[in-house]
Amino acid sequence: MKNFKLPTGVYAITDSKSGKNKKFLEYCEELLKGGAKIIQYREKKRDLKTLLSEAKALRELTKKYDAIFIVNDYLDIALLSDADGIHIGQDDLPIKDVRKVLGNDKIIGISTHNPKEAQQAMVDGADYIGVGPIFYTETKEDIGDLVTLEFLDFVDKNIDLPYVAIGGIKENNIEQVLSKGAKSICLISELIGAEDTLETTKRINNFIINWYEK
């Protein structure tokens, strides 16, 4: 997608443990009410019928809040739910093949963990990249090696693509990430475990936005 920009603020990702005793869509709506302008549907342990049903419902919800809707991994679910785009990993289908299916009007994001992968994402035509995991995280089973803040700094200075910082980012370390130039930031466990998802999302989202308005 030409001239795509990630929204400044919270990049929200769903999780099967989403929220404290909240229904899935209730939790997602609180993220959106809290100001998240992009949400990625990432569920690894759902059957395909449930994936499609939830993705379609979340698609409608994101339209209501004028937010970008991204599906993780599943190209068929992204297509059938009319998502704005897809986020893939290094071991998923190649970007050029995904682009053939999705077309030029959809967003393709890809996770990167080192300078070589980030540079290749530019060559392959990604619209944005994920940079992480920055810190240790328990929300992803195949975490791999931490990329550290140095890689984040490299991306900010050398990669001409929008990027989202991800992995173990919390309110008590978010300033370290912001200081490297990250404007789109994913905090998963911090929001999953929040007693008040809406207020926590709003507070963090406003903090990120205000950081760049100082």
Side-chain angles (χ1 to χ4, degrees):
M1 176 180 281
K2 289 183 179 179
N3 304 316
F4 174 68
K5 293 183 179 179
L6 283 169
T8 297
V10 170
Y11 181 119
I13 293 184
T14 70
D15 188 278
S16 57
K17 302 182 291 294
S18 298
K20 291 196 172 183
N21 300 314
K22 296 184 179 73
K23 292 181 179 179
F24 177 77
L25 285 177
E26 179 187 356
Y27 172 77
C28 291
E29 185 160 23
E30 289 191 356
L31 293 172
L32 294 165
K33 282 182 177 179
K37 301 304 291 182
I38 183 168
I39 187 165
Q40 182 189 135
Y41 178 60
R42 186 178 81 180
E43 299 296 338
K44 303 288 188 178
K45 299 177 180 180
R46 301 273 209 267
D47 62 81
L48 288 175
K49 287 184 178 180
T50 301
L51 285 170
L52 182 56
S53 176
E54 288 187 344
K56 284 182 174 181
L58 189 49
R59 165 73 288 184
E60 293 307 309
L61 193 60
T62 53
K63 283 182 179 178
K64 176 182 176 182
Y65 288 92
D66 193 27
I68 298 166
F69 176 49
I70 302 291
V71 169
N72 181 269
D73 288 353
Y74 294 94
L75 184 54
D76 50 354
I77 300 298
L79 284 166
L80 291 169
S81 65
D82 193 29
D84 294 305
I86 191 169
H87 188 94
I88 57 177
Q90 289 295 318
D91 296 326
D92 293 322
L93 294 171
I95 290 174
K96 64 179 182 179
D97 293 315
V98 174
R99 182 67 71 193
K100 287 179 183 177
V101 177
L102 282 186
N104 294 322
D105 294 330
K106 297 289 187 178
I107 302 158
I108 300 177
I110 186 168
S111 299
T112 65
H113 316 290
N114 56 58
K116 182 179 178 181
E117 291 176 353
Q119 290 164 334
Q120 190 62 47
M122 280 200 301
V123 173
D124 291 342
D127 295 300
Y128 77 94
I129 60 173
V131 178
I134 306 298
F135 306 109
Y136 175 75
T137 174
E138 294 181 347
T139 59
K140 202 168 188 296
E141 294 175 1
D142 53 339
I143 178 175
D145 295 331
L146 301 183
V147 303
T148 73
L149 291 164
E150 283 68 28
F151 176 46
L152 186 62
D153 189 50
F154 171 86
V155 168
D156 189 69
K157 293 176 180 176
N158 297 280
I159 303 299
D160 191 23
L161 284 175
Y163 65 89
V164 53
I166 184 171
I169 302 170
K170 302 181 183 297
E171 283 192 86
N172 63 13
N173 60 27
I174 195 171
E175 289 192 25
Q176 297 179 58
V177 179
L178 288 166
S179 69
K180 297 297 182 183
K183 294 182 178 180
S184 182
I185 300 178
C186 182
L187 309 90
I188 303 176
S189 59
E190 198 81 332
L191 299 178
I192 291 170
E195 292 293 341
D196 190 327
T197 305
L198 192 158
E199 288 304 318
T200 302
T201 305
K202 184 185 295 184
R203 183 175 66 249
I204 295 172
N205 199 62
N206 288 340
F207 184 82
I208 296 169
I209 292 170
N210 291 336
W211 178 277
Y212 288 100
E213 292 181 349
K214 288 190 287 187

